[in-house]
Amino acid sequence: MSKIVDARGLSCPQPVIITMDEIKKQNSGEIVVLVDTDTSRENVGRAAENQGWQVKDIKEEDDGYRITIMKD
């Protein structure tokens, strides 16, 4: 089951910080990050990749983006 990080309504760098906190808790698996700006989408994806995680999927939703990141 994926862990969900809801960062909607937060300004950067807060979405990145809370995503990094969740990555530190998990060595592997899948995390879904909800953000509501293009900047947050780009920064969260880049930060996750810098930690060795892969951006598996990005879906645009009515109120932002649903970013799925994973690490085996």
Side-chain angles (χ1 to χ4, degrees), residues 52-69:
W53 287 64
Q54 294 180 324
V55 177
K56 181 179 172 186
D57 190 37
I58 299 176
K59 291 183 181 172
E60 190 169 347
E61 298 184 334
D62 291 339
D63 56 350
Y65 300 95
R66 180 182 194 92
I67 306 165
T68 303
I69 59 174

Side-chain angles (χ1 to χ4, degrees), residues 14-59:
Q14 289 178 311
V16 173
I17 291 170
I18 62 173
T19 301
M20 291 299 100
D21 288 344
E22 191 58 38
I23 283 175
K24 289 176 185 173
K25 292 179 189 173
Q26 299 186 202
N27 290 329
S28 62
E30 187 173 280
I31 301 171
V32 174
V33 185
L34 306 175
V35 297
D36 55 4
T37 67
D38 292 339
T39 302
S40 294
R41 174 182 51 89
E42 293 170 11
N43 290 343
V44 165
R46 186 177 321 119
E49 289 174 343
N50 285 338
Q51 297 298 312
W53 287 64
Q54 294 180 324
V55 177
K56 181 179 172 186
D57 190 37
I58 299 176
K59 291 183 181 172

